Amino acid sequence: MTRNRRRFLEGASAVGLAGIAGCVGGFGDDGSAEYRVGMVYATGGTGDDSFNDMAKQGLTNALEEFDLSYEKTEPDNEGEFSSAQRTFAESGDYDLINCVGYAQADALRENAPEYPDQNFIIVDEVVDVDNVRSYTFDEPEGSFQVGHLAGLLTDREFAAGAGETNPDASTVGFVGGTRTPLIESFEAGFRAGVEYANDDAEVVSSYVGNFNDTGRGQSTARSMYQNNDADIVFHAAGRTGVGVFQAAQDEGRFAIGVDDDQSISNADFADVILASMVKSVDTAVYNAIESVVNGTFEGGETEALGLEQDGVGAVYGDELGADIPQEIKDALAESKQALIDGEIDVPSEL
């Protein structure tokens, strides 16, 4: 932590003192950077190979392009979000504060009006305040795509890498982090995609209640593979999803990742990751920073990113993608276009 950063933190709350780290991505924080950004990450923190790391990638991309420094905080629980946001805002030193994750919305709705000259963004939720730009993603559309894939594969004999399907059962699974409307929207889209492909396929689901519990992710997915005869499990559970990959490897089945291409970010499990439902969180963070640099930042607006904007989508696994039959890839390409054209309605609620 640099000397000038300690100055503003001296009067900060406990979460600010304990949780904010000064960083400049290797550029050195001598106070000379033209722009400064604050990052308040979602619980689970960086290193999740998923949502937070995608946000971090957007920041990293911006660091390479602009005269920029940043500081970050990684709250341990949702109760720390408000203090983390206020610690950044009270300093008056930041051109933009990025609030990563839907769980920060309530805190930001209270805090943002208190600092009308401070630019904020929130990722994955809408906060209708003049100095907040909101970025949302069409998770149901992207989840529909991987559900379509799972539904097409589960009732056929398919083996690749370390996994194989169980066509006699035609059962797939969904593992969520916390049971919230956002995470339920992943499941709703996934179920719709499975049904679109295969009316007879069954979807089992479970919510772990945590985005950073690989052990529970593993045991939950293992139960689906062993007790429900599921052969493909899709997770929307942050780092908890690594446990899903572990279970897939242990049981010789398949998994589907989320947020980034997890067959690359979790390469040890690439032999069981069929695909990932990617969300361009990195693009949202980068674009917000770029708009501040260019003087074009506009608060009070929501930017929605769906399939048409490449904000979400299915990406085939780095190792297994080549083994997926072409007719299935063609079917997914057709359903993607139908979704973009509005010919398929995808529910956002269960």
Side-chain angles (χ1 to χ4, degrees):
M1 183 180 298
T2 58
R3 187 179 302 275
N4 62 330
R5 281 297 172 272
R6 183 172 294 279
R7 172 189 55 77
F8 104 76
L9 290 174
E10 283 175 353
S13 64
V15 65
L17 289 167
I20 292 184
C23 310
V24 196
F27 289 81
D29 187 4
D30 59 1
S32 62
E34 186 173 359
Y35 300 95
R36 290 179 176 173
V37 172
M39 297 288 293
V40 184
Y41 285 105
T43 56
T46 56
D48 62 357
D49 296 324
S50 188
F51 186 72
N52 280 312
D53 279 355
M54 286 294 284
K56 180 181 177 181
Q57 185 60 53
L59 173 65
T60 299
N61 294 342
L63 286 167
E64 294 173 353
E65 295 292 329
F66 309 119
D67 184 12
L68 182 73
S69 67
Y70 77 97
E71 287 183 0
K72 67 173 183 175
T73 181
E74 301 184 11
D76 292 326
N77 59 70
E78 295 179 8
E80 296 179 353
F81 285 140
S82 182
S83 295
Q85 294 169 8
R86 294 180 72 90
T87 297
F88 281 128
E90 286 173 359
S91 75
D93 290 342
Y94 296 89
D95 299 283
L96 178 67
I97 299 172
N98 294 321
C99 302
V100 182
Y102 68 89
Q104 300 204 44
D106 288 344
L108 190 56
R109 289 189 186 100
E110 293 184 4
N111 287 333
E114 298 294 321
Y115 306 95
D117 296 327
Q118 174 67 63
N119 295 326
F120 294 90
I121 71 162
I122 187 164
V123 178
D124 252 1
E125 183 57 281
V126 175
V127 172
D128 190 15
V129 180
D130 288 345
N131 55 329
V132 179
R133 186 170 184 84
S134 304
Y135 289 87
T136 62
F137 299 86
D138 200 330
E139 290 89 359
E141 281 190 350
S143 299
F144 181 99
Q145 284 270 275
V146 294
H148 190 192
L149 172 64
L152 290 171
L153 282 175
T154 188
D155 67 347
R156 66 163 63 196
E157 292 186 0
F158 175 76
E164 62 180 348
T165 56
N166 181 15
D168 292 336
S170 290
T171 299
V172 299
F174 173 82
V175 174
T178 58
R179 183 178 282 278
T180 62
L182 176 66
I183 304 304
E184 287 183 341
S185 76
F186 284 84
E187 181 184 350
F190 181 69
R191 284 182 175 273
V194 172
E195 182 179 357
Y196 182 82
N198 185 348
D199 287 336
D200 297 325
E202 181 183 358
V203 180
V204 294
S205 69
S206 181
Y207 289 77
V208 173
N210 195 302
F211 289 101
N212 195 32
D213 191 337
T214 57
R216 290 187 65 189
Q218 184 176 16
S219 62
T220 300
R222 181 184 292 119
S223 176
M224 292 179 176
Y225 293 127
Q226 292 182 348
N227 301 332
N228 301 108
D229 293 323
D231 50 14
I232 303 168
V233 175
F234 170 44
H235 87 86
R239 185 145 187 84
T240 296
V242 174
V244 175
F245 303 150
Q246 292 169 336
Q249 256 184 3
D250 292 343
E251 301 300 323
R253 298 304 185 190
F254 294 113
I256 296 174
V258 77
D259 292 333
D260 71 346
D261 184 348
Q262 294 199 289
S263 69
I264 293 176
S265 62
N266 290 268
D268 288 345
F269 304 105
D271 57 358
V272 294
I273 299 176
L274 288 169
S276 296
M277 199 292 276
V278 298
K279 291 172 56 175
S280 298
V281 176
D282 55 338
T283 299
V285 171
Y286 177 90
N287 286 352
I289 295 172
E290 182 182 44
S291 70
V292 168
V293 171
N294 292 337
T296 58
F297 180 88
E298 294 184 6
E301 295 189 357
T302 298
E303 187 168 339
L305 302 172
L307 282 173
E308 187 172 8
Q309 297 80 22
D310 292 325
V312 296
V315 173
Y316 297 111
D318 189 54
E319 183 172 327
L320 302 185
D323 294 314
I324 296 174
Q326 187 60 45
E327 63 266 27
I328 289 181
K329 293 179 178 178
D330 291 343
L332 260 68
E334 290 175 7
S335 67
K336 177 180 179 180
Q337 191 58 52
L339 287 162
I340 291 172
D341 294 341
E343 297 172 2
I344 300 174
D345 292 325
V346 182
S348 60
E349 299 177 347
L350 295 174

